[in-house]
Coordinates of all heavy atoms in Angstrom, one line a residue:
M1 N 60.2 -107.4 52.3 CA 59.2 -107.6 51.3 C 59.2 -106.4 50.3 O 59.7 -105.4 50.7 CB 57.8 -107.7 51.9 CG 57.7 -108.9 52.9 SD 56.0 -109.2 53.3 CE 56.1 -110.9 53.5
T2 N 58.6 -106.7 49.2 CA 58.7 -105.6 48.2 C 57.8 -104.4 48.5 O 57.9 -103.4 47.8 CB 58.3 -106.2 46.8 OG1 57.0 -106.7 46.9 CG2 59.3 -107.2 46.3
Y3 N 56.9 -104.5 49.5 CA 56.1 -103.3 49.8 C 56.7 -102.5 50.9 O 56.1 -101.6 51.4 CB 54.7 -103.8 50.2 CG 54.6 -104.8 51.2 CD1 54.7 -104.5 52.6 CD2 54.4 -106.1 50.9 CE1 54.6 -105.5 53.5 CE2 54.3 -107.1 51.8 CZ 54.4 -106.8 53.2 OH 54.3 -107.7 54.1
D4 N 57.9 -102.8 51.3 CA 58.6 -102.1 52.4 C 59.0 -100.7 51.9 O 59.7 -100.5 51.0 CB 59.8 -102.9 52.8 CG 60.4 -102.3 54.1 OD1 60.0 -101.3 54.6 OD2 61.4 -102.9 54.6
R5 N 58.5 -99.7 52.7 CA 58.8 -98.3 52.3 C 60.2 -97.9 52.8 O 60.6 -96.7 52.6 CB 57.8 -97.4 52.9 CG 56.4 -97.4 52.3 CD 56.4 -96.7 51.0 NE 56.5 -95.3 51.3 CZ 56.0 -94.4 50.6 NH1 55.2 -94.7 49.6 NH2 56.1 -93.1 50.9
A6 N 61.0 -98.8 53.4 CA 62.3 -98.4 53.9 C 63.2 -98.2 52.7 O 64.2 -97.4 52.9 CB 62.8 -99.5 54.8
M7 N 63.0 -98.8 51.6 CA 63.8 -98.6 50.5 C 63.4 -97.3 49.7 O 62.2 -97.1 49.5 CB 63.7 -99.8 49.6 CG 64.3 -101.1 50.2 SD 64.2 -102.5 49.1 CE 65.4 -101.9 47.8
P8 N 64.3 -96.5 49.2 CA 63.9 -95.4 48.4 C 63.3 -95.8 47.1 O 63.6 -96.8 46.6 CB 65.2 -94.6 48.2 CG 66.3 -95.6 48.4 CD 65.7 -96.7 49.3
P9 N 62.3 -95.0 46.6 CA 61.7 -95.4 45.3 C 62.7 -95.3 44.2 O 63.6 -94.5 44.2 CB 60.6 -94.3 45.2 CG 60.9 -93.2 46.1 CD 61.8 -93.8 47.2
D10 N 62.5 -96.2 43.3 CA 63.4 -96.3 42.1 C 62.9 -95.2 41.1 O 61.8 -95.3 40.6 CB 63.4 -97.7 41.5 CG 64.3 -97.8 40.3 OD1 64.7 -96.8 39.7 OD2 64.6 -99.0 40.0
P11 N 63.7 -94.2 40.7 CA 63.2 -93.2 39.8 C 62.9 -93.7 38.4 O 62.3 -93.0 37.6 CB 64.4 -92.2 39.8 CG 65.6 -92.9 40.2 CD 65.1 -94.0 41.1
N12 N 63.4 -94.9 38.1 CA 63.1 -95.5 36.8 C 61.8 -96.3 36.7 O 61.4 -96.7 35.7 CB 64.3 -96.4 36.4 CG 65.6 -95.7 36.3 OD1 65.6 -94.6 35.7 ND2 66.7 -96.3 36.8
V13 N 61.1 -96.4 37.9 CA 59.9 -97.2 37.9 C 58.7 -96.2 38.1 O 58.8 -95.4 39.1 CB 59.9 -98.2 39.1 CG1 58.5 -98.9 39.2 CG2 61.0 -99.2 38.9
P14 N 57.8 -96.1 37.2 CA 56.6 -95.2 37.4 C 55.9 -95.5 38.7 O 55.8 -96.7 39.1 CB 55.7 -95.5 36.2 CG 56.6 -96.2 35.2 CD 57.7 -96.9 36.0
P15 N 55.4 -94.5 39.4 CA 54.7 -94.7 40.6 C 53.5 -95.7 40.5 O 53.3 -96.5 41.5 CB 54.1 -93.3 41.0 CG 54.9 -92.3 40.2 CD 55.4 -93.1 39.0
E16 N 52.8 -95.7 39.4 CA 51.7 -96.7 39.2 C 52.2 -98.1 39.3 O 51.6 -99.0 39.8 CB 51.0 -96.4 37.9 CG 50.3 -95.0 37.9 CD 51.3 -93.9 37.4 OE1 52.4 -94.2 36.9 OE2 51.0 -92.8 37.7
A17 N 53.4 -98.3 38.6 CA 54.0 -99.7 38.6 C 54.4 -100.1 40.0 O 54.3 -101.2 40.4 CB 55.1 -99.7 37.6
A18 N 55.0 -99.1 40.7 CA 55.5 -99.4 42.1 C 54.3 -99.8 43.0 O 54.4 -100.7 43.8 CB 56.3 -98.2 42.6
R19 N 53.2 -99.0 42.8 CA 52.0 -99.3 43.6 C 51.4 -100.7 43.3 O 51.0 -101.4 44.2 CB 51.0 -98.2 43.5 CG 51.3 -96.9 44.2 CD 50.1 -96.0 44.3 NE 49.8 -95.4 43.0 CZ 50.3 -94.2 42.6 NH1 51.2 -93.5 43.3 NH2 50.0 -93.7 41.4
A20 N 51.4 -101.0 42.0 CA 50.8 -102.3 41.5 C 51.7 -103.4 42.1 O 51.2 -104.4 42.5 CB 50.8 -102.3 40.0
A21 N 53.0 -103.2 42.1 CA 53.9 -104.3 42.7 C 53.7 -104.4 44.2 O 53.6 -105.6 44.7 CB 55.3 -103.9 42.4
A22 N 53.5 -103.3 44.9 CA 53.2 -103.4 46.3 C 51.9 -104.1 46.6 O 51.8 -104.9 47.5 CB 53.2 -102.0 46.9
V23 N 50.8 -103.8 45.8 CA 49.5 -104.4 46.0 C 49.7 -105.9 45.7 O 49.1 -106.7 46.5 CB 48.5 -103.8 45.0 CG1 47.2 -104.6 44.9 CG2 48.1 -102.4 45.5
A24 N 50.4 -106.3 44.7 CA 50.5 -107.7 44.4 C 51.3 -108.4 45.5 O 50.9 -109.5 45.9 CB 51.3 -107.9 43.1
A25 N 52.3 -107.8 46.1 CA 53.0 -108.4 47.2 C 52.1 -108.6 48.4 O 52.2 -109.6 49.1 CB 54.3 -107.6 47.5
L26 N 51.4 -107.5 48.7 CA 50.5 -107.6 49.9 C 49.4 -108.7 49.7 O 49.2 -109.5 50.6 CB 49.8 -106.3 50.1 CG 50.6 -105.1 50.7 CD1 50.0 -103.8 50.4 CD2 50.9 -105.4 52.2
R27 N 48.8 -108.8 48.5 CA 47.8 -109.8 48.2 C 48.4 -111.2 48.4 O 47.8 -112.1 48.9 CB 47.2 -109.6 46.8 CG 46.3 -108.5 46.7 CD 45.8 -108.3 45.3 NE 44.9 -107.2 45.2 CZ 44.5 -106.7 44.1 NH1 44.9 -107.1 42.9 NH2 43.6 -105.7 44.1
K28 N 49.6 -111.4 47.8 CA 50.3 -112.7 47.8 C 50.6 -113.1 49.3 O 50.4 -114.2 49.7 CB 51.5 -112.7 47.0 CG 52.2 -114.0 46.9 CD 53.4 -114.0 46.0 CE 54.1 -115.3 46.0 NZ 55.3 -115.3 45.1
H29 N 51.2 -112.1 50.0 CA 51.6 -112.4 51.4 C 50.4 -112.7 52.3 O 50.5 -113.7 53.1 CB 52.4 -111.3 51.9 CG 52.9 -111.5 53.3 ND1 54.0 -112.3 53.6 CD2 52.5 -111.0 54.5 CE1 54.2 -112.3 54.9 NE2 53.3 -111.6 55.5
F30 N 49.4 -111.9 52.2 CA 48.3 -112.1 53.2 C 47.1 -112.8 52.6 O 46.2 -113.2 53.4 CB 47.8 -110.7 53.6 CG 48.8 -110.0 54.5 CD1 49.6 -108.9 54.0 CD2 49.0 -110.4 55.8 CE1 50.5 -108.3 54.8 CE2 49.9 -109.7 56.7 CZ 50.7 -108.7 56.1
G31 N 47.0 -113.0 51.3 CA 45.9 -113.7 50.7 C 44.5 -113.0 50.9 O 43.5 -113.6 51.1
L32 N 44.6 -111.6 50.9 CA 43.5 -110.8 51.1 C 43.3 -109.8 49.9 O 44.3 -109.5 49.3 CB 43.6 -110.0 52.3 CG 43.7 -110.7 53.7 CD1 44.1 -109.7 54.8 CD2 42.4 -111.4 54.0
P33 N 42.1 -109.3 49.7 CA 41.9 -108.2 48.8 C 42.6 -106.9 49.3 O 42.3 -106.5 50.5 CB 40.4 -108.0 48.7 CG 39.8 -109.2 49.3 CD 40.8 -109.8 50.2
C34 N 43.6 -106.4 48.6 CA 44.3 -105.2 49.0 C 44.3 -104.3 47.8 O 44.3 -104.7 46.7 CB 45.7 -105.5 49.4 SG 45.9 -106.7 50.8
W35 N 44.3 -103.0 48.0 CA 44.4 -102.0 46.9 C 44.9 -100.7 47.4 O 44.9 -100.4 48.6 CB 43.0 -101.9 46.3 CG 41.9 -101.3 47.1 CD1 41.5 -100.0 47.2 CD2 41.1 -102.1 48.0 NE1 40.5 -99.9 48.1 CE2 40.2 -101.2 48.7 CE3 41.0 -103.4 48.4 CZ2 39.3 -101.5 49.6 CZ3 40.1 -103.8 49.4 CH2 39.2 -102.9 49.9
Y36 N 45.2 -99.8 46.5 CA 45.6 -98.4 46.7 C 44.5 -97.6 46.2 O 44.0 -97.8 45.0 CB 46.9 -98.1 46.0 CG 47.3 -96.6 46.1 CD1 47.8 -96.2 47.3 CD2 47.1 -95.8 45.1 CE1 48.1 -94.8 47.4 CE2 47.4 -94.4 45.2 CZ 47.9 -93.9 46.4 OH 48.2 -92.6 46.5
G37 N 44.0 -96.7 47.0 CA 42.9 -95.8 46.6 C 43.5 -94.5 46.0 O 44.0 -93.7 46.8
P38 N 43.4 -94.3 44.7 CA 44.1 -93.1 44.2 C 43.4 -91.8 44.6 O 44.1 -90.7 44.7 CB 43.9 -93.3 42.6 CG 42.8 -94.2 42.5 CD 42.8 -95.1 43.7
H39 N 42.1 -91.8 45.0 CA 41.5 -90.6 45.4 C 41.8 -90.3 46.9 O 42.0 -89.2 47.3 CB 40.0 -90.6 45.1 CG 39.7 -90.7 43.7 ND1 39.8 -89.6 42.9 CD2 39.2 -91.7 42.9 CE1 39.5 -90.0 41.6 NE2 39.1 -91.2 41.6
S40 N 41.8 -91.4 47.7 CA 42.0 -91.2 49.1 C 43.5 -91.2 49.4 O 44.0 -90.7 50.5 CB 41.4 -92.4 49.9 OG 42.0 -93.6 49.6
R41 N 44.3 -91.7 48.4 CA 45.8 -91.8 48.6 C 46.1 -92.6 49.8 O 47.1 -92.3 50.6 CB 46.4 -90.4 48.6 CG 46.3 -89.7 47.3 CD 47.1 -88.4 47.4 NE 46.9 -87.8 46.1 CZ 47.2 -86.5 45.8 NH1 47.7 -85.8 46.8 NH2 47.1 -86.0 44.6
R42 N 45.3 -93.7 50.1 CA 45.5 -94.6 51.2 C 45.6 -96.0 50.7 O 45.1 -96.3 49.6 CB 44.4 -94.4 52.2 CG 44.1 -93.0 52.7 CD 45.2 -92.5 53.6 NE 45.1 -93.2 54.9 CZ 46.0 -92.9 55.9 NH1 46.9 -92.1 55.8 NH2 45.8 -93.6 57.1
W43 N 46.2 -96.9 51.5 CA 46.2 -98.3 51.2 C 45.2 -99.0 52.0 O 45.0 -98.7 53.2 CB 47.6 -98.8 51.6 CG 48.7 -98.2 50.7 CD1 49.3 -96.9 50.9 CD2 49.3 -98.7 49.5 NE1 50.2 -96.7 49.9 CE2 50.2 -97.8 49.0 CE3 49.1 -99.9 48.8 CZ2 50.9 -98.0 47.9 CZ3 49.8 -100.1 47.7 CH2 50.7 -99.2 47.2
W44 N 44.5 -100.0 51.3 CA 43.3 -100.6 51.9 C 43.4 -102.1 51.8 O 44.0 -102.7 50.9 CB 42.1 -100.2 51.2 CG 41.8 -98.7 51.3 CD1 42.3 -97.7 50.5 CD2 41.0 -98.1 52.2 NE1 41.8 -96.5 50.9 CE2 41.0 -96.7 51.9 CE3 40.2 -98.5 53.3 CZ2 40.3 -95.7 52.7 CZ3 39.5 -97.6 54.0 CH2 39.5 -96.2 53.7
A45 N 42.7 -102.8 52.8 CA 42.6 -104.3 52.7 C 41.3 -104.6 53.4 O 40.8 -103.9 54.3 CB 43.7 -105.0 53.5
F46 N 40.7 -105.7 52.9 CA 39.4 -106.2 53.4 C 39.8 -107.5 54.1 O 40.3 -108.4 53.5 CB 38.4 -106.5 52.4 CG 37.1 -107.1 52.9 CD1 36.2 -106.3 53.6 CD2 36.9 -108.4 52.8 CE1 35.1 -106.8 54.2 CE2 35.7 -109.0 53.3 CZ 34.8 -108.2 54.0
I47 N 39.4 -107.6 55.4 CA 39.7 -108.8 56.2 C 38.4 -109.5 56.5 O 37.6 -108.9 57.3 CB 40.5 -108.5 57.5 CG1 41.8 -107.7 57.1 CG2 40.8 -109.7 58.3 CD1 42.5 -107.1 58.3
P48 N 38.1 -110.7 56.0 CA 36.9 -111.4 56.3 C 37.0 -111.9 57.8 O 38.0 -112.4 58.2 CB 36.8 -112.5 55.3 CG 38.1 -112.6 54.6 CD 38.9 -111.4 55.0
I49 N 35.9 -111.6 58.5 CA 35.8 -112.1 59.9 C 34.5 -112.7 60.1 O 33.4 -112.0 60.1 CB 36.0 -110.9 60.9 CG1 37.4 -110.2 60.7 CG2 35.9 -111.4 62.3 CD1 37.5 -108.9 61.4
G50 N 34.4 -114.1 60.1 CA 33.1 -114.8 60.2 C 32.3 -114.4 59.0 O 32.8 -114.5 57.8
E51 N 31.1 -114.1 59.2 CA 30.2 -113.7 58.1 C 30.3 -112.2 57.7 O 29.7 -111.7 56.8 CB 28.7 -114.0 58.5 CG 28.4 -115.5 58.6 CD 27.0 -115.7 58.8 OE1 26.1 -114.9 58.6 OE2 26.7 -116.9 59.3
R52 N 31.1 -111.5 58.5 CA 31.3 -110.1 58.3 C 32.8 -109.9 57.9 O 33.5 -110.8 57.7 CB 31.0 -109.3 59.5 CG 29.6 -109.6 60.0 CD 29.3 -108.9 61.3 NE 28.5 -107.7 61.0 CZ 28.3 -106.7 61.8 NH1 28.8 -106.7 63.0 NH2 27.5 -105.7 61.4
G53 N 33.1 -108.6 57.7 CA 34.5 -108.3 57.4 C 34.8 -107.0 58.0 O 34.0 -106.3 58.6
R54 N 36.1 -106.6 57.8 CA 36.6 -105.4 58.3 C 37.5 -104.7 57.3 O 38.4 -105.4 56.7 CB 37.3 -105.6 59.6 CG 37.9 -104.5 60.2 CD 38.6 -104.8 61.5 NE 39.3 -103.6 62.0 CZ 40.1 -103.6 63.0 NH1 40.4 -104.8 63.6 NH2 40.7 -102.5 63.4
L55 N 37.4 -103.4 57.1 CA 38.3 -102.7 56.2 C 39.4 -102.1 57.1 O 39.1 -101.6 58.2 CB 37.6 -101.5 55.5 CG 36.8 -101.9 54.3 CD1 36.1 -100.6 53.8 CD2 37.6 -102.4 53.2
V56 N 40.6 -102.2 56.7 CA 41.7 -101.5 57.4 C 42.4 -100.6 56.3 O 42.4 -100.9 55.1 CB 42.7 -102.5 58.0 CG1 42.1 -103.2 59.2 CG2 43.3 -103.5 57.0
E57 N 43.0 -99.5 56.8 CA 43.6 -98.6 55.9 C 44.9 -98.1 56.5 O 45.0 -98.1 57.7 CB 42.7 -97.5 55.4 CG 42.1 -96.7 56.6 CD 43.0 -95.5 57.0 OE1 43.8 -95.1 56.2 OE2 42.8 -95.1 58.1
A58 N 45.8 -97.6 55.7 CA 47.0 -97.0 56.2 C 47.6 -96.1 55.1 O 47.2 -96.0 54.0 CB 48.0 -98.2 56.4
A59 N 48.6 -95.4 55.6 CA 49.3 -94.4 54.7 C 50.3 -95.0 53.8 O 50.6 -94.5 52.7 CB 50.0 -93.3 55.5
T60 N 50.9 -96.1 54.2 CA 51.9 -96.8 53.4 C 51.7 -98.3 53.3 O 50.9 -98.8 54.1 CB 53.3 -96.6 54.0 OG1 53.4 -97.3 55.2 CG2 53.7 -95.1 54.2
P61 N 52.3 -99.0 52.3 CA 52.1 -100.4 52.3 C 52.6 -101.1 53.5 O 52.0 -102.1 54.0 CB 53.0 -100.8 51.0 CG 53.1 -99.6 50.2 CD 53.1 -98.4 51.2
Q62 N 53.7 -100.7 54.1 CA 54.3 -101.3 55.3 C 53.3 -101.1 56.5 O 53.0 -102.0 57.2 CB 55.6 -100.7 55.7 CG 56.3 -101.4 56.8 CD 56.5 -102.9 56.7 OE1 56.9 -103.3 55.6 NE2 56.3 -103.6 57.7
E63 N 52.7 -99.9 56.6 CA 51.7 -99.7 57.6 C 50.5 -100.5 57.4 O 49.9 -101.0 58.4 CB 51.4 -98.2 57.7 CG 52.5 -97.3 58.2 CD 52.1 -95.8 58.2 OE1 51.0 -95.5 57.9 OE2 53.0 -95.0 58.4
L64 N 50.1 -100.7 56.2 CA 49.0 -101.6 55.9 C 49.3 -103.0 56.3 O 48.4 -103.7 57.0 CB 48.6 -101.6 54.4 CG 47.3 -102.4 54.1 CD1 46.1 -101.9 54.9 CD2 47.1 -102.4 52.6
A65 N 50.5 -103.5 56.1 CA 50.9 -104.9 56.5 C 50.8 -105.0 58.0 O 50.3 -106.0 58.5 CB 52.3 -105.2 56.0
E66 N 51.2 -104.0 58.7 CA 51.1 -104.0 60.2 C 49.7 -103.9 60.7 O 49.3 -104.6 61.6 CB 51.9 -102.8 60.7 CG 53.4 -102.9 60.5 CD 54.2 -101.6 60.7 OE1 53.6 -100.6 61.2 OE2 55.4 -101.6 60.4
A67 N 48.9 -103.1 60.0 CA 47.4 -103.0 60.4 C 46.7 -104.3 60.1 O 45.9 -104.7 60.9 CB 46.8 -101.9 59.6
I68 N 47.1 -105.0 59.0 CA 46.5 -106.3 58.8 C 46.8 -107.3 59.9 O 46.0 -108.0 60.4 CB 46.9 -106.9 57.4 CG1 46.3 -106.0 56.3 CG2 46.5 -108.3 57.2 CD1 46.8 -106.3 54.9
S69 N 48.1 -107.3 60.2 CA 48.6 -108.2 61.3 C 47.9 -108.0 62.6 O 47.5 -108.9 63.3 CB 50.1 -108.1 61.4 OG 50.7 -108.6 60.2
R70 N 47.8 -106.7 62.9 CA 47.1 -106.3 64.2 C 45.6 -106.8 64.1 O 45.1 -107.3 65.1 CB 47.2 -104.8 64.5 CG 48.5 -104.4 65.0 CD 48.4 -102.9 65.5 NE 47.9 -102.0 64.5 CZ 48.6 -101.4 63.6 NH1 49.9 -101.6 63.6 NH2 48.1 -100.5 62.8
A71 N 44.9 -106.5 63.0 CA 43.5 -106.8 62.9 C 43.3 -108.3 63.0 O 42.3 -108.8 63.6 CB 43.0 -106.3 61.6
R72 N 44.2 -109.1 62.4 CA 44.1 -110.6 62.5 C 44.3 -111.1 63.9 O 43.8 -112.1 64.2 CB 45.0 -111.2 61.5 CG 44.6 -111.1 60.1 CD 45.6 -111.9 59.2 NE 45.0 -112.2 57.9 CZ 45.6 -112.8 56.9 NH1 46.9 -113.2 57.1 NH2 45.0 -113.1 55.8
A73 N 45.1 -110.4 64.7 CA 45.4 -110.8 66.0 C 44.3 -110.6 67.0 O 44.2 -111.2 68.1 CB 46.7 -110.2 66.5
Q74 N 43.4 -109.6 66.6 CA 42.2 -109.3 67.5 C 41.2 -110.4 67.4 O 40.9 -110.9 66.3 CB 41.6 -108.0 67.1 CG 42.6 -106.8 67.4 CD 42.0 -105.5 66.9 OE1 41.0 -105.5 66.3 NE2 42.7 -104.4 67.2
P75 N 40.6 -110.7 68.6 CA 39.5 -111.8 68.5 C 38.2 -111.3 67.8 O 38.0 -110.2 67.7 CB 39.2 -112.0 70.0 CG 39.9 -111.0 70.8 CD 40.8 -110.3 69.9

């Protein structure tokens, strides 16, 4: 996926554009609100659970994808 940190960053792509592309890929893949917090420098997603929800965060887009998958697997 395009949010995979295994690939080195392209020096021709500004970091803001790379983050925007990763956010778009995460949103499309999971169908959830996802974002990058420029002040926290963390990746975030909101997972609706019943009438409530849960925030998950991670250091990288790939870690956020893994955190989302783990959170969805929990009852």
Side-chain angles (χ1 to χ4, degrees):
M1 297 192 150
T2 58
Y3 53 80
D4 189 355
R5 290 283 292 215
M7 296 182 66
D10 184 341
N12 298 317
V13 177
E16 299 82 17
R19 285 192 290 268
V23 166
L26 287 162
R27 287 177 179 168
K28 182 177 180 182
H29 182 77
F30 291 105
L32 296 171
C34 301
W35 63 95
Y36 175 77
H39 297 288
S40 65
R41 295 185 179 164
R42 304 290 287 180
W43 295 82
W44 298 85
F46 178 77
I47 302 171
I49 301 170
E51 292 183 18
R52 304 177 103 192
R54 177 177 176 194
L55 283 174
V56 293
E57 56 87 23
T60 67
Q62 184 61 37
E63 289 176 10
L64 182 61
E66 294 166 5
I68 292 169
S69 296
R70 281 192 307 272
R72 283 184 161 177
Q74 294 176 352

